[in-house]
Amino acid sequence: MNYHKKSVRDIDVSGKKVFLRCDFNVPLDDNGQITDDIRIRGALPTIRYLLEQGAAIILCSHLGRPKGKVVPKLSLKPVAQALEEFLNIKVPMAEDINGPIAQMMANGIRPGQVMLLENIRFRPEEEANDPDFAKSLAALADIYVNDAFGTAHRAHASTAGIADYLPAVCGFLIEKEITTMGKAMENPEHPFVAILGGSKVSEKLKLIEKLLVEHCDTVLVLGAMSYTFRKALGGSIGNSLCEDSMVEEMGQLMERAKDMGCNLLLPVDNVVADKFDNDADIKVVPAGQIPDGYMGMDIGPATAEIYSRIIESARTVVWNGPAGVFEMPNFAHGTQAIATAVAKVKGVSIIGGGDSAAAIDSMGFSRHVTHISTGGGASLEFLQGMELPGIACLDDAE
């Protein structure tokens, strides 16, 4: 995929109406209050830039999974209120998305003003990437800007289809995502270390293979997926999570890694428990020697020390997936050690969204890393080298 796309800096937006696709998919409590506004704050630089350049902005986002139906508790009204507070201007919302009210509001919007469309996924045509629906959205504006990296791997009407009808560029969030991650994958500084965790090795297989082929110096495997690797080596994993259908393939993968001269390392010890509970009976055992009735919950202290030394010596680090069940305090030590080591890297450090991003943010290390991706699934597909429709549709930089 071409990582070199035009951004809002490359076009004249003065006096133009800009359709800005953002990711306002924020968590809400039972009272409809936003509990974490980081995604709204992440969109502000692009919004403010466009306003300063004299654009009128039509904001668009999804929230949750209403599956093409109007679900009142998934309304973007709380987002409109939050935006008014951040921007200190009125942010009216069009509840009919592309109907007569939205059209009237879009026709009347002036430079320096902002409006918001209701949850775009209230319409089934959005996820179906219906061309007529995409064309009706495009008719509201003069320019399309995509700044929703978290949905860039989806070919929806507001993330890809609309670009067929308008000049299409990226906002600052997507620009940083594709610039930072693109450079890391195209021309990384060495040593290049990848830290891969999570529950399913099948979800990370393409990424592991890409990293091996493109000469990643070391791949550190952790999390639940490490037990599938360990079983392939004939070890005992007790009741740990394991993808039995992947065991044979993981054995072959480790052989390929050896042939390529890439260090694919597994934990040497694990923290195990007799039940999935913070207050379970806990032991530290050598990897591959997990007793029956126990399950792996975290990497052990020896692994944390070995991995930390390797990470701290790296010049490029990509981390996707926690070391264990970090939501439970007794099994968070491995993830904390990894986060601490990543924060000490004196080169490029990239956190691939999802649980890794949540972990490093909760531990207060966000400002010590180069880049935290705003999209879990999107960042994983991007790092794998897959084409993301929401980026591929944008105009190429000259």
Side-chain angles (χ1 to χ4, degrees), residues 42-89:
L44 294 178
T46 298
I47 296 172
R48 287 176 174 145
Y49 174 83
L50 291 170
L51 291 175
E52 290 166 2
Q53 297 298 310
I57 306 174
I58 301 161
L59 293 169
C60 170
S61 178
H62 74 286
L63 177 60
R65 298 180 178 179
K67 298 182 179 179
K69 297 179 181 179
V70 176
V71 180
K73 68 179 182 179
L74 295 178
S75 170
L76 285 174
K77 288 177 182 177
V79 172
Q81 294 170 0
L83 285 167
E84 289 186 344
E85 294 175 11
F86 281 121
L87 299 171
N88 200 29
I89 58 174

Side-chain angles (χ1 to χ4, degrees), residues 27 36 38-39 319-324 326-327 332 335-336 339 350-366 369 371-376 379:
D36 185 350
I38 189 171
R39 287 181 173 171
W319 180 22
N320 188 291
F326 73 97
E327 299 87 350
T335 301
Q336 289 170 350
I350 295 171
I351 313 302
D355 287 338
S356 303
I360 206 152
D361 185 57
S362 68
M363 294 168 194
F365 292 131
S366 297
V369 297
H371 180 62
I372 300 177
S373 178
T374 55
S379 66

